[in-house]
Amino acid sequence: MGKKFKGKACAYCGTGDAGTADHVFAREFFLLEDRNSLPKVPACPRCNREKSKLEHYATAVLPLAGRHPAAIQNCLENAPRRLQKNEPLRSELDRGRGQRWGTSPAGLIVPETTLPVDPKLLTGLYSYIAAGLSWYHWEVHVLPNNLAVQFLTSESDRCLRSTLIPRPDCIPVERNLGNGTVIYNGFRLSSNFLGVAVWFISIYGVHFGNENASVGVCRKVGVFITFLN
Ligand SMILES: [Zn+2]
């Protein structure tokens, strides 16, 4: 671990003297050439271990559903190897594979393959990511109970932005990692004793749907957090 994090508390659970460093977005999400200067935070061995279990799942599954060129390349090069090592996950994905009609970026109606995902594992990972980003950008510690993850439709994304951005106390963050492999925005409202922030995160441009068709397609994951300013 670099000197930078020496003696720092874990970005995820707040435990003193974290002892290890962690990439907020696992390096495996990125192509080799895009792995430099990814955000890193101090992490205790326990959080590091728990988070990497969730990352094993997400780095195997999300490239299969990705729309971004890096996802497709990652899918061809790495995901099969990761899935080969995880036979139960491979057969679960195979069994749950489906088809539906979707809209291409050019607006054409095209057939799409759908895959079942475990929302618990994904929301767990996005919670860690949001806590990590809060520490990385604002040096704020967010405790697990103060995080709420939601899959956002374009409409709810727009609605939230138009509420947050005009506020004079809003501190925005925007980053694009690995040529769009990961895109995230953060909006922090800092005027109160109780801080409030939202992270919007997109990995590989994956779309999330729901078996209940009345819920629109979700293009981003939103993580809502509160913390003491
Ligand atoms: Zn920890």
Side-chain angles (χ1 to χ4, degrees), residues 79-87 90:
R81 185 169 41 83
R82 284 176 204 141
L83 279 175
Q84 232 166 32
K85 283 194 228 156
N86 192 340
E87 179 52 34
R90 202 194 61 77

Side-chain angles (χ1 to χ4, degrees), residues 9-217:
C10 172
Y12 303 120
C13 69
T15 305
D17 206 358
T20 63
D22 178 63
H23 286 95
V24 176
F25 295 95
R27 298 171 78 238
E28 288 75 15
F29 280 125
F30 299 87
L31 299 176
L32 284 178
E33 60 268 32
D34 293 332
R35 291 183 181 180
N36 297 322
S37 58
L38 297 172
K40 258 170 80 168
V41 296
C44 72
R46 194 177 146 268
C47 288
N48 222 327
R49 205 170 42 243
E50 293 302 313
K51 179 166 171 276
S52 75
K53 283 184 207 159
L54 302 173
E55 287 166 345
H56 280 306
Y57 176 77
T59 56
V61 173
L62 293 185
L64 302 175
R67 287 155 189 266
H68 185 270
I72 295 161
Q73 204 176 329
N74 214 318
C75 188
L76 294 172
E77 289 172 10
N78 303 318
R81 185 169 41 83
R82 284 176 204 141
L83 279 175
Q84 232 166 32
K85 283 194 228 156
N86 192 340
E87 179 52 34
L89 176 59
R90 202 194 61 77
S91 52
E92 185 193 313
L93 291 173
D94 232 20
R95 272 200 309 276
R97 201 182 290 265
Q99 282 261 312
R100 52 162 235 161
W101 292 100
T103 318
S104 78
L108 300 169
I109 304 289
V110 289
E112 290 178 336
T113 301
T114 60
L115 289 171
V117 292
D118 186 330
K120 239 195 187 150
L121 296 180
L122 287 182
T123 53
L125 178 59
Y126 282 100
S127 300
Y128 274 113
I129 289 173
L133 291 177
S134 303
W135 191 92
Y136 181 76
H137 288 285
W138 303 322
E139 290 225 18
V140 157
H141 278 287
V142 184
L143 296 176
N145 284 344
N146 300 337
L147 286 147
V149 180
Q150 252 185 43
F151 293 89
L152 299 175
T153 60
S154 305
E155 185 51 38
S156 43
D157 179 11
R158 251 196 312 277
C159 210
L160 272 163
R161 277 166 199 272
S162 61
T163 314
L164 295 168
I165 294 172
R167 289 181 53 126
D169 63 335
C170 179
I171 307 172
V173 170
E174 182 169 9
R175 290 288 188 282
N176 175 332
L177 306 175
N179 300 310
T181 305
V182 168
I183 296 175
Y184 65 87
N185 293 89
F187 300 99
R188 175 186 177 185
L189 304 182
S190 59
S191 61
N192 299 322
F193 172 64
L194 185 68
V196 177
V198 186
W199 289 103
F200 297 92
I201 304 164
S202 161
I203 303 180
Y204 299 133
V206 169
H207 290 181
F208 296 99
N210 193 300
E211 280 156 2
N212 173 0
S214 66
V215 181
V217 172

